[in-house]
mmCIF file of all heavy atoms in Angstrom:
data_model
loop_
_atom_site.group_PDB
_atom_site.id
_atom_site.type_symbol
_atom_site.label_atom_id
_atom_site.label_comp_id
_atom_site.label_asym_id
_atom_site.label_seq_id
_atom_site.Cartn_x
_atom_site.Cartn_y
_atom_site.Cartn_z
ATOM 1 N N ALA A 80 -14.789 7.021 8.760
ATOM 2 C CA ALA A 80 -13.668 6.283 9.348
ATOM 3 C C ALA A 80 -14.116 5.735 10.744
ATOM 4 O O ALA A 80 -13.739 4.624 11.091
ATOM 5 C CB ALA A 80 -12.502 7.248 9.611
ATOM 6 N N GLU A 81 -14.737 6.567 11.560
ATOM 7 C CA GLU A 81 -15.131 5.944 12.976
ATOM 8 C C GLU A 81 -16.135 4.855 12.898
ATOM 9 O O GLU A 81 -16.140 3.962 13.697
ATOM 10 C CB GLU A 81 -15.731 7.146 13.799
ATOM 11 C CG GLU A 81 -14.585 8.100 14.262
ATOM 12 C CD GLU A 81 -15.016 9.158 15.181
ATOM 13 O OE1 GLU A 81 -16.246 9.375 15.434
ATOM 14 O OE2 GLU A 81 -14.224 9.650 15.965
ATOM 15 N N GLU A 82 -16.979 4.838 11.855
ATOM 16 C CA GLU A 82 -17.917 3.726 11.695
ATOM 17 C C GLU A 82 -17.089 2.471 11.399
ATOM 18 O O GLU A 82 -17.532 1.374 12.018
ATOM 19 C CB GLU A 82 -18.872 4.015 10.503
ATOM 20 C CG GLU A 82 -19.934 2.939 10.177
ATOM 21 C CD GLU A 82 -20.927 3.204 9.124
ATOM 22 O OE1 GLU A 82 -20.844 4.380 8.618
ATOM 23 O OE2 GLU A 82 -21.563 2.407 8.700
ATOM 24 N N GLU A 83 -16.220 2.517 10.593
ATOM 25 C CA GLU A 83 -15.311 1.285 10.305
ATOM 26 C C GLU A 83 -14.509 0.966 11.557
ATOM 27 O O GLU A 83 -14.361 -0.186 11.819
ATOM 28 C CB GLU A 83 -14.400 1.524 9.057
ATOM 29 C CG GLU A 83 -15.216 1.850 7.696
ATOM 30 C CD GLU A 83 -16.065 0.641 7.320
ATOM 31 O OE1 GLU A 83 -15.801 -0.473 7.864
ATOM 32 O OE2 GLU A 83 -16.847 0.909 6.484
ATOM 33 N N GLU A 84 -13.981 1.920 12.223
ATOM 34 C CA GLU A 84 -13.149 1.690 13.430
ATOM 35 C C GLU A 84 -13.973 1.014 14.539
ATOM 36 O O GLU A 84 -13.496 0.156 15.254
ATOM 37 C CB GLU A 84 -12.587 3.021 13.868
ATOM 38 C CG GLU A 84 -11.506 3.531 12.856
ATOM 39 C CD GLU A 84 -10.234 2.664 12.913
ATOM 40 O OE1 GLU A 84 -9.276 2.889 13.634
ATOM 41 O OE2 GLU A 84 -10.181 1.813 11.934
ATOM 42 N N ARG A 85 -15.206 1.524 14.663
ATOM 43 C CA ARG A 85 -16.068 0.748 15.749
ATOM 44 C C ARG A 85 -16.129 -0.717 15.356
ATOM 45 O O ARG A 85 -16.042 -1.512 16.452
ATOM 46 C CB ARG A 85 -17.537 1.525 15.713
ATOM 47 C CG ARG A 85 -17.378 2.762 16.446
ATOM 48 C CD ARG A 85 -18.836 3.331 16.865
ATOM 49 N NE ARG A 85 -19.621 3.571 15.640
ATOM 50 C CZ ARG A 85 -19.434 4.852 15.018
ATOM 51 N NH1 ARG A 85 -18.815 5.854 15.675
ATOM 52 N NH2 ARG A 85 -20.172 5.106 14.021
ATOM 53 N N ALA A 86 -16.500 -1.094 14.256
ATOM 54 C CA ALA A 86 -16.492 -2.538 13.832
ATOM 55 C C ALA A 86 -15.188 -3.216 14.027
ATOM 56 O O ALA A 86 -15.172 -4.400 14.468
ATOM 57 C CB ALA A 86 -17.018 -2.512 12.395
ATOM 58 N N PHE A 87 -14.078 -2.443 13.723
ATOM 59 C CA PHE A 87 -12.815 -3.054 13.845
ATOM 60 C C PHE A 87 -12.598 -3.348 15.361
ATOM 61 O O PHE A 87 -12.156 -4.586 15.705
ATOM 62 C CB PHE A 87 -11.750 -2.060 13.407
ATOM 63 C CG PHE A 87 -10.337 -2.461 13.553
ATOM 64 C CD1 PHE A 87 -9.722 -3.245 12.579
ATOM 65 C CD2 PHE A 87 -9.645 -2.082 14.653
ATOM 66 C CE1 PHE A 87 -8.406 -3.614 12.695
ATOM 67 C CE2 PHE A 87 -8.251 -2.428 14.761
ATOM 68 C CZ PHE A 87 -7.698 -3.232 13.849
ATOM 69 N N TYR A 88 -12.745 -2.546 16.262
ATOM 70 C CA TYR A 88 -12.391 -2.600 17.588
ATOM 71 C C TYR A 88 -13.541 -3.540 18.467
ATOM 72 O O TYR A 88 -13.281 -4.060 19.418
ATOM 73 C CB TYR A 88 -12.289 -1.277 18.388
ATOM 74 C CG TYR A 88 -11.017 -0.677 18.093
ATOM 75 C CD1 TYR A 88 -10.817 0.349 17.091
ATOM 76 C CD2 TYR A 88 -9.823 -0.975 18.791
ATOM 77 C CE1 TYR A 88 -9.631 0.943 16.785
ATOM 78 C CE2 TYR A 88 -8.591 -0.391 18.495
ATOM 79 C CZ TYR A 88 -8.575 0.547 17.487
ATOM 80 O OH TYR A 88 -7.225 1.189 17.312
ATOM 81 N N ALA A 89 -14.645 -3.751 17.687
ATOM 82 C CA ALA A 89 -15.653 -4.507 18.384
ATOM 83 C C ALA A 89 -15.508 -5.882 17.982
ATOM 84 O O ALA A 89 -16.353 -6.741 18.554
ATOM 85 C CB ALA A 89 -17.086 -3.934 17.829
ATOM 86 N N GLY A 90 -14.658 -6.279 17.231
ATOM 87 C CA GLY A 90 -14.452 -7.776 16.961
ATOM 88 C C GLY A 90 -13.792 -8.118 15.597
ATOM 89 O O GLY A 90 -13.272 -9.159 15.373
ATOM 90 N N ARG A 91 -13.990 -7.118 14.705
ATOM 91 C CA ARG A 91 -13.555 -7.513 13.266
ATOM 92 C C ARG A 91 -11.968 -7.874 13.211
ATOM 93 O O ARG A 91 -11.555 -8.676 12.531
ATOM 94 C CB ARG A 91 -13.844 -6.389 12.329
ATOM 95 C CG ARG A 91 -13.330 -6.539 10.857
ATOM 96 C CD ARG A 91 -13.427 -5.434 9.929
ATOM 97 N NE ARG A 91 -14.813 -4.922 9.828
ATOM 98 C CZ ARG A 91 -15.099 -3.655 9.455
ATOM 99 N NH1 ARG A 91 -14.147 -2.812 9.192
ATOM 100 N NH2 ARG A 91 -16.384 -3.366 9.202
ATOM 101 N N ALA A 92 -11.293 -7.068 14.019
ATOM 102 C CA ALA A 92 -9.867 -7.268 14.082
ATOM 103 C C ALA A 92 -9.331 -8.564 14.662
ATOM 104 O O ALA A 92 -8.415 -9.078 14.203
ATOM 105 C CB ALA A 92 -9.161 -6.093 14.801
ATOM 106 N N GLY A 93 -10.112 -9.047 15.656
ATOM 107 C CA GLY A 93 -9.621 -10.313 16.441
ATOM 108 C C GLY A 93 -8.699 -9.926 17.604
ATOM 109 O O GLY A 93 -8.092 -8.804 17.510
ATOM 110 N N ASP A 94 -8.625 -10.774 18.542
ATOM 111 C CA ASP A 94 -7.951 -10.566 19.703
ATOM 112 C C ASP A 94 -6.303 -10.291 19.541
ATOM 113 O O ASP A 94 -5.771 -9.506 20.182
ATOM 114 C CB ASP A 94 -8.186 -11.600 20.707
ATOM 115 C CG ASP A 94 -9.546 -11.716 21.244
ATOM 116 O OD1 ASP A 94 -10.259 -10.786 21.152
ATOM 117 O OD2 ASP A 94 -9.991 -12.723 21.766
ATOM 118 N N GLU A 95 -5.778 -11.111 18.616
ATOM 119 C CA GLU A 95 -4.311 -11.035 18.392
ATOM 120 C C GLU A 95 -3.921 -9.698 17.898
ATOM 121 O O GLU A 95 -2.982 -8.994 18.420
ATOM 122 C CB GLU A 95 -3.940 -12.090 17.418
ATOM 123 C CG GLU A 95 -2.444 -12.059 17.236
ATOM 124 C CD GLU A 95 -1.974 -13.300 16.321
ATOM 125 O OE1 GLU A 95 -2.844 -14.100 15.844
ATOM 126 O OE2 GLU A 95 -0.691 -13.395 16.068
ATOM 127 N N TRP A 96 -4.784 -9.167 16.801
ATOM 128 C CA TRP A 96 -4.382 -7.826 16.364
ATOM 129 C C TRP A 96 -4.627 -6.790 17.291
ATOM 130 O O TRP A 96 -3.810 -5.793 17.450
ATOM 131 C CB TRP A 96 -5.398 -7.627 15.073
ATOM 132 C CG TRP A 96 -4.918 -6.458 14.171
ATOM 133 C CD1 TRP A 96 -4.019 -5.444 14.423
ATOM 134 C CD2 TRP A 96 -5.444 -6.240 12.740
ATOM 135 N NE1 TRP A 96 -3.938 -4.604 13.415
ATOM 136 C CE2 TRP A 96 -4.793 -5.066 12.293
ATOM 137 C CE3 TRP A 96 -6.377 -6.860 12.084
ATOM 138 C CZ2 TRP A 96 -5.073 -4.546 11.074
ATOM 139 C CZ3 TRP A 96 -6.622 -6.259 10.770
ATOM 140 C CH2 TRP A 96 -5.986 -5.082 10.318
ATOM 141 N N LEU A 97 -5.730 -6.835 18.104
ATOM 142 C CA LEU A 97 -6.069 -5.887 19.111
ATOM 143 C C LEU A 97 -4.811 -5.780 20.150
ATOM 144 O O LEU A 97 -4.517 -4.769 20.601
ATOM 145 C CB LEU A 97 -7.381 -5.942 19.600
ATOM 146 C CG LEU A 97 -8.546 -5.766 18.771
ATOM 147 C CD1 LEU A 97 -9.915 -6.115 19.430
ATOM 148 C CD2 LEU A 97 -8.572 -4.343 18.286
ATOM 149 N N GLY A 98 -4.486 -6.970 20.451
ATOM 150 C CA GLY A 98 -3.287 -7.074 21.434
ATOM 151 C C GLY A 98 -2.124 -6.455 20.997
ATOM 152 O O GLY A 98 -1.374 -5.842 21.725
ATOM 153 N N ALA A 99 -1.893 -6.511 19.648
ATOM 154 C CA ALA A 99 -0.582 -5.919 19.066
ATOM 155 C C ALA A 99 -0.735 -4.407 19.139
ATOM 156 O O ALA A 99 0.209 -3.723 19.173
ATOM 157 C CB ALA A 99 -0.435 -6.419 17.635
ATOM 158 N N LEU A 100 -1.998 -3.965 19.091
ATOM 159 C CA LEU A 100 -2.177 -2.409 19.031
ATOM 160 C C LEU A 100 -2.192 -1.846 20.461
ATOM 161 O O LEU A 100 -2.186 -0.538 20.714
ATOM 162 C CB LEU A 100 -3.404 -2.001 18.335
ATOM 163 C CG LEU A 100 -3.497 -2.303 16.778
ATOM 164 C CD1 LEU A 100 -4.837 -2.142 16.280
ATOM 165 C CD2 LEU A 100 -2.435 -1.404 16.175
ATOM 166 N N ALA A 101 -2.468 -2.651 21.398
ATOM 167 C CA ALA A 101 -2.752 -2.215 22.853
ATOM 168 C C ALA A 101 -1.798 -1.233 23.411
ATOM 169 O O ALA A 101 -2.115 -0.204 24.014
ATOM 170 C CB ALA A 101 -2.869 -3.462 23.816
#
Side-chain angles (χ1 to χ4, degrees):
E81 288 187 342
E82 181 179 350
E83 298 299 343
E84 294 290 274
R85 282 192 292 272
F87 177 87
Y88 284 95
R91 181 193 292 163
D94 292 340
E95 184 175 358
W96 194 347
L97 292 178
L100 291 171

